[in-house]
Amino acid sequence: RVLVGTKVDESHANWVTAYNMLTGIRVSVSRTNAKLDRELTDADFEAKQKSTFDITGNELVPSAKYDFKFKDYAPWVFRRLRALFRLDPADYLMSLTGKYILSELGSPGKSGSFFYFSRDYKYIIKTIHHSEHKFLRKTLRDYYNHVQNNPNTLLSQFYGLHRVKMPYGKKIHFVVMNNLFPPHRDIHTTFDLKGSTIGRDYREDDLGKNPRATLKDLNWLRRQKHLELGIKKKQLFLEQLQKDVVLLKRLQIMDYSLLIGIHDISRGNEENLRDKTLQVFNPGVEKTADDDPPSVIMRTPSKMENVRKARELREKIRAERPVPIGQALDKMPDELGDSHTRPGFVFNQDDGGFRATHENNQPADEIYYLGVIDCLTHYGMIKKIEHFWKGLSHDRSQISALPPEQYGDRFYNFVEGITMSSEEARREILRKEQE
Ligand code: ATP
Ligand code: CA
Ligand code: CA
């Protein structure tokens, strides 16, 4: 794992699209980066820059393998956004286009979007619907201002908005955004929470087949999970979430969710490395059940030692068997080391995430990697119709297509609710009853 997904190579159905996306990004982003920085103007928010790629190339555009057209939207705004999110311009291009390696996440869901991870797992390319694209352009100034005023926003971090078009092909719009989950830590459980209960259940029976499935609201409630944050962290988190939700409500956005990846420190990173690991790291340890191998990386003495051993192990694995499908990274997790921690960002302060804390603010045994995703759905006509039809058959407050104001309130209240321990919740219920 760390490496979900299928490697997109030349035999992959979407190879040409992926190749063109990366070529377009490489050329257009480096073009903007090469210029002297300047203040944004109104026109920057509406700007789009078109390039036509072909096999010969010209003075403006280098030659490419395939013919295609590429559009870069609001390049200066996104350059600024990348700077606000403190990405290093060279690293950004290197991660995405240093080598043309992407991995594709599963098959597209309901929405039909495709997801691709950069080879170092830091960035996600998501194809978006034309309506989402139009909506992001329309609200870009609000988003930009929000990021400027809220450097710790929990909302998806957008680093680029582009379009590719192949001859006779459809226009494909896509965004580049942050991967909330780190390359160097196993995520043991994932939840996608909306604060709704209808249809928000992953069949737990299927977890055996797919242990890394994304769980939903009902799974969270059934497990009596609780987002364990001490007073300080809880306040930071809820205050930021509140501000983000205010923006989402104002922009009439809905259908977004809180994505939470949980790294369990007591389990460590074992599942990356499986049985081979045991032989190399702990020759004396007997192999246990596959589901529960002892944590190896976390227990070895020093980080440098880990890096060295990981490298040896990687060579060993490479020599013995073909690289598994989906092995998009060519570094072992610990070699990537601290490059994923993002100093200065509140919700990335602990090993790239936000460590659980007890009520007394002492650290607990989990690290949360979290953020608000899928926030480009405008409450437009489609949702109104959905609301109408679903409203005929269900309790209106429980369906997911609520008007944005109610959606936002329900979402925030749910998340606030899950930050309470069961004692707190009990006290809160008693308090409400007395009111
Ligand atoms: P739908 O509209 O049907 O919900 P979608 O195609 O718009 O689907 P998203 O809801 O954006 O897709 O994401 C689907 C899943 O992809 C999430 O539940 C999560 O597992 C993963 N994912 C999306 N964005 C990120 C991100 N920024 N970091 C890590 N994982 C992500
Ligand atoms: Ca979604
Ligand atoms: Ca969506």
Side-chain angles (χ1 to χ4, degrees):
R1 210 234 38 158
V2 193
L3 320 167
V4 266
T6 316
K7 187 169 169 179
V8 181
D9 60 17
E10 297 188 40
S11 64
H12 191 285
N14 292 327
W15 162 254
V16 176
T17 312
Y19 176 94
N20 294 345
M21 284 171 162
L22 296 183
T23 305
I25 291 173
R26 181 168 55 82
V27 171
S28 58
V29 172
S30 36
R31 190 189 285 147
T32 309
N33 283 352
K35 294 177 187 153
L36 270 180
D37 201 10
R38 59 163 176 78
E39 290 301 308
L40 292 183
T41 65
D42 286 350
D44 287 325
F45 288 89
E46 266 110 66
K48 50 185 171 199
Q49 191 169 47
K50 195 167 165 179
S51 313
T52 303
F53 289 84
D54 57 32
I55 312 175
T56 47
N58 58 48
E59 65 281 3
L60 293 173
V61 179
S63 71
K65 267 196 190 162
Y66 310 100
D67 288 355
F68 67 99
K69 293 198 168 108
F70 190 85
K71 263 191 192 174
D72 189 12
Y73 294 92
W76 278 94
V77 178
F78 285 102
R79 173 177 161 162
R80 277 298 175 95
L81 281 169
R82 292 191 297 271
L84 287 172
F85 290 125
R86 296 194 216 154
L87 300 188
D88 178 83
D91 283 355
Y92 179 70
L93 278 177
M94 200 57 190
S95 299
L96 283 163
T97 69
K99 277 188 190 160
Y100 278 24
I101 301 176
L102 289 176
S103 58
E104 186 179 73
L105 178 63
S107 48
K110 275 199 305 250
S111 73
S113 288
F114 286 85
F115 290 84
Y116 301 94
F117 294 104
S118 63
R119 74 186 165 116
D120 60 4
Y121 209 60
K122 281 188 190 166
Y123 305 108
I124 292 182
I125 290 177
K126 179 185 181 185
T127 65
I128 55 175
H129 193 266
H130 186 217
S131 58
E132 293 177 291
H133 161 90
K134 278 201 300 201
F135 183 69
L136 179 55
R137 291 193 70 202
K138 201 172 98 188
T139 55
L140 190 56
R141 188 187 295 276
D142 296 276
Y143 176 76
Y144 180 83
N145 291 340
H146 185 76
V147 172
Q148 223 175 8
N149 299 329
N150 297 273
N152 291 302
T153 180
L154 290 154
L155 301 181
S156 281
Q157 302 184 354
F158 295 120
Y159 304 139
L161 174 64
H162 314 281
R163 188 188 93 181
V164 280
K165 187 180 177 312
M166 270 84 84
Y168 312 109
K170 277 192 301 196
K171 293 166 182 162
I172 301 170
H173 299 93
F174 63 99
V175 284
V176 185
M177 59 186 182
N178 57 328
N179 181 4
L180 282 171
F181 299 160
H184 64 304
R185 289 286 168 257
D186 263 4
I187 295 298
H188 296 105
T189 324
T190 307
F191 290 94
D192 179 297
L193 305 174
K194 291 188 175 176
S196 155
T197 50
I198 289 196
R200 302 294 299 161
D201 198 0
Y202 181 85
R203 266 180 52 131
E204 308 244 356
D205 291 351
D206 295 343
L207 268 180
K209 275 185 285 176
N210 186 8
R212 301 306 172 99
T214 303
L215 304 174
K216 298 184 182 170
D217 304 65
L218 284 173
N219 308 92
W220 178 284
L221 295 173
R222 198 176 299 124
R223 289 164 184 227
Q224 305 199 311
K225 288 288 295 178
H226 145 226
L227 205 55
E228 200 178 358
L229 297 173
I231 297 165
K232 280 192 213 141
K233 281 188 161 175
K234 182 159 133 177
Q235 190 186 352
L236 286 167
F237 172 68
L238 289 177
E239 277 178 6
Q240 187 56 59
L241 189 71
Q242 177 84 64
K243 289 182 190 159
D244 293 336
V245 170
V246 166
L247 177 78
L248 295 171
K249 290 202 277 194
R250 183 162 64 76
L251 298 179
Q252 303 253 295
I253 296 170
M254 43 169 299
D255 224 29
Y256 46 88
S257 45
L258 180 72
L259 186 67
I260 308 178
I262 303 176
H263 173 76
D264 180 344
I265 294 174
S266 65
R267 284 169 71 184
N269 264 1
E270 66 246 3
E271 283 134 85
N272 278 331
L273 301 168
R274 299 262 160 194
D275 42 309
K276 286 269 178 197
T277 319
L278 304 182
Q279 293 165 23
V280 176
F281 286 179
N282 281 5
V285 177
E286 279 206 355
K287 189 177 173 299
T288 58
D290 230 22
D291 301 336
D292 190 27
S295 165
V296 193
I297 283 214
M298 297 299 287
R299 287 181 202 153
T300 45
S302 77
K303 185 155 173 183
M304 280 321 291
E305 188 71 349
N306 280 341
V307 170
R308 191 181 60 74
K309 288 188 174 173
R311 196 172 289 142
E312 276 173 25
L313 173 69
R314 189 183 75 216
E315 298 309 328
K316 200 163 186 266
I317 293 174
R318 279 218 175 125
E320 286 172 18
R321 55 171 142 151
V323 179
I325 293 177
Q327 190 83 19
L329 278 176
D330 52 7
K331 287 179 174 176
M332 286 303 273
D334 270 42
E335 257 181 273
L336 293 163
D338 290 335
S339 68
H340 205 78
T341 62
R342 307 180 62 230
F345 288 103
V346 169
F347 304 110
N348 306 107
Q349 63 179 275
D350 308 310
D351 210 2
F354 201 46
R355 185 163 179 175
T357 46
H358 300 297
E359 253 179 290
N360 60 8
N361 299 318
Q362 286 303 304
D365 243 8
E366 292 181 330
I367 302 177
Y368 303 125
Y369 296 87
L370 41 73
V372 177
I373 61 156
D374 203 9
C375 35
L376 293 177
T377 310
H378 184 244
Y379 183 66
M381 209 48 205
I382 298 164
K383 288 296 166 188
K384 284 184 189 154
I385 292 167
E386 184 182 331
H387 188 219
F388 174 78
W389 287 111
K390 281 201 188 166
L392 299 177
S393 53
H394 287 297
D395 170 7
R396 265 172 193 279
S397 66
Q398 282 306 312
I399 59 180
S400 66
L402 283 181
E405 187 72 26
Q406 282 152 272
Y407 187 93
D409 290 339
R410 185 184 65 182
F411 176 78
Y412 181 82
N413 289 336
F414 182 84
V415 178
E416 185 183 38
I418 65 173
T419 61
M420 288 181 200
S421 62
S422 42
E423 291 90 86
E424 277 178 287
R426 214 167 290 133
R427 266 180 265 142
E428 182 68 15
I429 290 165
L430 286 175
R431 194 183 61 76
K432 284 217 167 120
E433 277 175 355
Q434 275 160 15
E435 272 177 13

